[in-house]
Amino acid sequence: MSFIFIGLLYMFKTIKAKQCTLILITAVGLVGASQSAFAHTRLKTPVVNENAANHGSDYNAAVVGHGCTNPTTKVVDLTVIGTIVVFPDGKDSIITVDGAPHTGSLTDFVTNWGSPVTKIQDRSIFDHEDYIKDSLGNKLGFWTGGGSGLKGGFRALVPFATAGVVIEPTSCAKSVTFVPGIADICEITDAAGFSDSTVNVWAPAVGSIYDNPAAHGYDSPATLTVNRSIAPLPASCGAGVDVVVKPSATQLNRDLRINFNGSQIWPAE
Ligand SMILES: [Cu+2]
């Protein structure tokens, strides 16, 4: 921001006032656009390196950038009462290589994906939290909710760590991007009640019950990119490829939900 300001001051000094007004308006427009693009939920640190250390992990947080949409004012300031983050399980995940579908498995590119998330205990925003695990006990994500929640106009950092990711050394992957499904819940409803005023869903559009083309965060998910940083690319790979891993619709329908004391509380059944 200060860089842009200095740039504007420089322009004011060096060009005629009339032209400058036009540039100022353009620049303010651009700043406004980029802010709204980044207002969506993301991870605090969206790009990390490989991490092969024993018990390696990268400390991160899910950003709750804003609340749900007030139907009267259209301002995104409704209180968030809970949030849920689920990473692709790597079993039936949707994998693309430079945008083209990949029919092989995640182990073609990543050697150690299994239990990607450790929640960092934190009750500063919500009172309760727990893991979302697969049938083998792997921690694929977490939810946190309850208490007074996230007041409109404020942001939240929901802290967690991701396990160190090791890219398959013989593969041509120069990066692997994992796409979590995230929901910031403002009102507990069933799936039919999802709207911008009840929940912000930030999930890839993969055909799950969370797809809603009219919704604020539709197909606008957060991402975690792991850049190759340990084994060099094999010479035969050329520039290397970018791999993207999204959860399947089956996984989102199964795992992007909150169970509490043995019963499902979101979405309501
Ligand atoms: Cu937004």
Side-chain angles (χ1 to χ4, degrees):
M1 196 63 186
S2 57
F3 180 76
I4 294 167
F5 235 93
I6 292 162
L8 284 173
L9 286 174
Y10 180 74
M11 283 189 285
F12 269 120
K13 282 184 177 170
T14 53
I15 39 180
K16 283 182 287 180
K18 199 176 171 186
Q19 290 170 313
C20 211
T21 309
L22 186 65
I23 291 166
L24 179 63
I25 290 164
T26 310
V28 168
L30 285 173
V31 171
S34 72
Q35 276 177 343
S36 62
F38 288 106
H40 292 318
T41 279
R42 58 195 286 277
L43 304 184
K44 184 182 178 195
T45 306
V47 181
V48 298
N49 283 331
E50 280 181 271
N51 184 340
N54 262 345
H55 311 293
S57 55
D58 290 279
Y59 290 84
N60 211 324
V63 178
V64 184
H66 59 69
C68 301
T69 306
N70 181 315
T72 309
T73 63
K74 305 299 177 198
V75 176
V76 284
D77 63 356
L78 294 185
T79 296
V80 176
I81 62 172
T83 191
I84 175 168
V85 177
V86 173
F87 278 83
D89 62 14
K91 294 169 194 160
D92 63 352
S93 303
I94 299 161
I95 301 171
T96 58
V97 178
D98 281 346
H102 177 71
T103 51
S105 71
L106 181 60
T107 53
D108 293 346
F109 304 106
V110 174
T111 67
N112 65 335
W113 191 257
S115 198
V117 175
T118 303
K119 181 74 182 70
I120 297 169
Q121 183 174 317
D122 178 35
R123 298 198 186 100
S124 62
I125 311 277
F126 305 108
D127 283 356
H128 303 281
E129 55 191 352
D130 209 350
Y131 283 109
I132 292 159
K133 296 178 180 174
D134 68 9
S135 57
L136 301 173
N138 292 310
K139 298 168 189 162
L140 302 174
F142 58 84
W143 63 267
T144 177
S148 51
L150 178 64
K151 190 172 154 185
F154 288 76
R155 294 185 180 191
L157 293 176
V158 179
F160 65 91
T162 50
V165 172
V166 178
I167 292 177
E168 167 55 46
T170 61
S171 80
C172 287
K174 68 176 191 285
S175 75
V176 181
T177 296
F178 296 93
V179 183
I182 297 178
D184 299 330
I185 301 156
C186 297
E187 186 183 324
I188 291 176
T189 69
D190 58 13
F194 291 167
S195 76
D196 283 348
S197 63
T198 62
V199 63
N200 285 321
V201 174
W202 321 92
V206 292
S208 76
I209 61 169
Y210 300 98
D211 283 3
N212 176 2
H216 179 84
Y218 176 66
D219 205 18
S220 179
T223 52
L224 178 70
T225 296
V226 181
N227 279 328
R228 186 176 190 124
S229 51
I230 299 177
L233 269 178
S236 59
C237 291
V241 296
D242 294 310
V243 177
V244 176
V245 186
K246 296 178 181 178
S248 67
T250 303
Q251 192 204 340
L252 285 181
N253 291 345
R254 182 188 59 229
D255 294 339
L256 195 67
R257 52 187 62 221
I258 297 175
N259 290 294
F260 185 56
N261 288 341
S263 51
Q264 182 173 319
I265 57 172
W266 185 86
E269 289 181 295

